[in-house]
Structure formats: C-alpha cells, structure tokens
Amino acid sequence: MIQLEHVSKTFGGAESGVHAVRDVSLKIEAGEIFGIIGYSGAGKSTLVRCINLLERPTEGTVTVDGRELTRMPERELRQERKKISMIFQHFNLMPSRTVAQNVAFPLKGSALTAEQQAGKVKALLELVGLPDKAGAYPSQLSGGQKQRVAIARALASDPKVLLCDEATSALDPQTTRSILRLIQDINRKTGITVVIITHEMAVVKDVCQRVAVMDGGRVVEMGDVFSIFSTPREAVTRSFIATTSNLSKVEELIEAGSPMVELKPGEMIVRMTYTRKNVSEAIISDISRRFGIDINIIYSNLEVIEDAPLGGLVAILSGDRVQEALEYWTSKNVRAEVLKRG
Ligand SMILES: Nc1ncnc2c1ncn2[C@@H]1O[C@H](COP(=O)(O)OP(=O)(O)OP(=O)(O)O)[C@@H](O)[C@H]1O
Ligand SMILES: [Mg+2]
C-alpha cells in the first residue's frame, strides 16, 4: 500500500540544511498497522508527511496504492491525497463548526447529495461512538471525544491509509487505550492501512504489527513487534524498550550494592528473557524441579504479544546444577544472562 524508496528530506540548503529524513526505504502492506517510533527530532513527522507529500521529499520516490505520488502533477496529486487521511495530537477541529459539520467537511464537492452526506456523517459518528454529539461544538467535548470526531472526519473520504501523528499523546492512558482500540476496530472492519507515529513503546506494543525505529532521520531498525521487543539490535531501540520494562533496573541495584542482590557462595543473579515465540511452557518450575534449583524472583516483566509470552524476569538462582539449568533454558529459546555470581 505504501512504498518509500530512498526518501530523503532536507530543509534549507544541502550544505547547511537540516537532514530531517535520510535515505529511508520501506514498504507497508495493505491492512497493516505500522508503528514509527523515535525520540523527538528523529524525523518521524517529516517522514510521515512525505507519505502524503505534505512535505515533498528532496530525493526518492513515494508510491501509495500502486501510484507514484512523487511524479504526479499537482491536480492529480490533490485527487490522490483523498486516499490518505491524517489525525494529529491536537485534533485540529474547526472550533466554530459543529461536530457534524466538522465530519462533513471532507465531503464538500463530493458527488453525494445533501441527504447522502448527512447519512454518511451519522454512520461515521456511530462508528466512533458519538451518535449523540452531532450538534455539539468541539469546545464542549473531552480530548478523547475530540479525537473520535477527528477520526470520523478522517474517514469521511473513504481513505485507504490513515496516518496518525502522536494521535494519543495528549490523552490520558485510559483514553489512549480506547482510541487505540477504536483505530484497531476500524482497521479490522475496513482493512484500512494505518501508520502510527508515537514515542510511547506501549502504544506500539498495544496495536502495531510491525515497527520502524527512527534515529537521526534514518530508520535504524525495523521488524515485527515481537522480534523488535525480544531481540532489539540498536541501542536506541533498547532504550525505548527499557521504558516499558523493569528488567534493566537490577543493574542499578547491583551497582548500588543493594542488600536485595547480595549473594551467598553458589548463588547467581540471572536475567531470563524470551527471545522467540515459545508456547507457554512452565519453564520456571520446570528447572526448579528438574535440576533442584531455588529461584528467588527480584523483578518480573511478562506480557503476551501475538499470543506468545514476551519479557522475562530477574532472579537469584541457587543449587548445584545451575549451569545445567541455564543450558536447558537456552535449548528452550530462553536467553539467560548471568549478571552476578556469589
Ligand atoms: N519545516 C521545517 N523547517 C526546518 N526544519 C524542520 C521543519 N520540519 C522539521 N524540521 C526539522 O527536522 C527534524 C525532524 O523533525 P520532525 O518533526 O520530523 O521530528 P519528530 O521525530 O516528528 O519529532 P517529535 O517527536 O518532536 O514530533 C528536526 O530537527 C526539525 O527541527
Ligand atoms: Mg513529530
């Protein structure tokens, strides 16, 4: 659905300018929910604005739904852009118009009759769960409701692609989840392709199938969400993941000489993490029983992504056969790192 080839965007001159996006190539499949994550200034918004040519790339080509936008004349491009909608952090609703008028806005100049337009607006407001707010003004709505209106408006032109630039960043965690559920729901019902920019790894984990990590204008890492979380390659990716997990906190405890991590001879601190999609085997009690190991859990951070356990735990292991137990874990695709030995 979306194909970027060697896309770069430089603001200002080539010498002194800002290289916001550098040589990005990626493909996003139809019906996919694709995440883009990165720190502030990484180039996420610029990259996504290149998808609908709100920013024209300095180099490279952009193809959406099989049509290369970067070579189209302006008039054709305007038509083609209707296939691509966008929602933003601050909703961008028109304050002097009602909810219904906001949602109807993209229908202006369409072939639909006034009656058909009204019917469409009604259906869209039902879809986003606001059937009773048609006559309200944006100022009378909560943030979550405003974003629902923005989503309804974005869908009015029957787009094939929905771009979400920090669409949940201004919302509390619970409202964030409800908006993400709505986007997921619409994706399932309509097959719309969704691109979500965020700096919250939790958002990626919640709804995306694949994710690209941006740093300094480049895509430094890309893959399905499970592998990015379980086996991140880049330091920037690891630091993002660390924000959603407590498994690296043990290093601080060790450094600080906390009594929590004082070891007797024979004991060791081990961090175990799932690296592949294991079926949920009882790998903890298993080594305990099989090898006579005592396991004292210090941290744990486990959740389920794509129907497989992701994350792991940090524990003090003791027993004569710890080494064998660790080898057994390795054979089960579980990574075991010894962090400290007693
Ligand atoms: N119109 C512009 N003119 C000049 N520089 C720009 C322009 N837009 C963005 N930039 C620069 O390009 C770089 C990437 O900005 P961009 O907004 O894409 O980052 P971002 O990853 O979306 O950041 P954030 O998470 O803060 O939204 C930044 O250094 C920014 O200052
Ligand atoms: Mg941005």
Side-chain angles (χ1 to χ4, degrees), residues 9 47 123 137 139 147 188 191 195 217 238 264 269 282 303 334:
K9 175 71 189 183
L47 180 68
Y137 286 88
S139 61
Q147 196 57 290
R188 288 201 188 115
V195 181
R238 281 197 293 272
K264 297 193 198 71
I269 299 177
E303 55 196 310
V334 169

Side-chain angles (χ1 to χ4, degrees), residues 40-41 43-46 165-166 197:
S40 189
K44 307 179 296 295
S45 294
T46 307
D165 191 351
E166 307 271 5
I197 298 182

Side-chain angles (χ1 to χ4, degrees), residues 279-314:
V279 282
S280 44
E281 288 175 70
I283 58 158
I284 312 295
S285 57
D286 204 14
I287 65 156
S288 175
R289 222 174 301 131
R290 232 177 244 265
F291 304 102
I293 309 287
D294 278 321
I295 302 168
N296 171 15
I297 296 173
I298 307 174
Y299 287 109
S300 89
N301 193 269
L302 279 165
E303 55 196 310
V304 173
I305 285 198
E306 295 167 15
D307 294 322
L310 178 72
L313 53 84
V314 176

Side-chain angles (χ1 to χ4, degrees), residues 188-312:
R188 288 201 188 115
K189 277 187 192 147
T190 67
I192 193 170
T193 307
V194 182
V195 181
I196 292 184
I197 298 182
T198 179
H199 52 249
E200 288 176 88
M201 215 49 185
V203 169
V204 169
K205 209 150 49 170
D206 216 11
V207 289
C208 297
Q209 285 131 28
R210 286 196 304 146
V211 59
V213 183
M214 284 192 81
D215 191 24
R218 294 182 200 280
V219 168
V220 295
E221 191 158 2
M222 180 157 55
D224 66 274
V225 169
F226 188 93
S227 6
I228 294 287
F229 272 88
S230 60
T231 46
R233 282 184 289 110
E234 299 290 324
V236 53
T237 315
R238 281 197 293 272
S239 74
F240 265 109
I241 290 167
T243 62
T244 66
S245 161
N246 57 18
L247 297 183
S248 51
K249 285 190 192 150
V250 67
E251 268 122 0
E252 292 165 30
L253 289 188
I254 293 173
E255 194 125 312
S258 158
M260 279 292 295
V261 292
E262 256 170 43
L263 301 179
K264 297 193 198 71
E267 291 183 338
M268 58 177 83
I269 299 177
V270 176
R271 176 164 51 216
M272 83 72 140
T273 40
Y274 289 101
T275 55
R276 276 193 235 150
K277 290 189 177 177
N278 295 59
V279 282
S280 44
E281 288 175 70
I283 58 158
I284 312 295
S285 57
D286 204 14
I287 65 156
S288 175
R289 222 174 301 131
R290 232 177 244 265
F291 304 102
I293 309 287
D294 278 321
I295 302 168
N296 171 15
I297 296 173
I298 307 174
Y299 287 109
S300 89
N301 193 269
L302 279 165
E303 55 196 310
V304 173
I305 285 198
E306 295 167 15
D307 294 322
L310 178 72

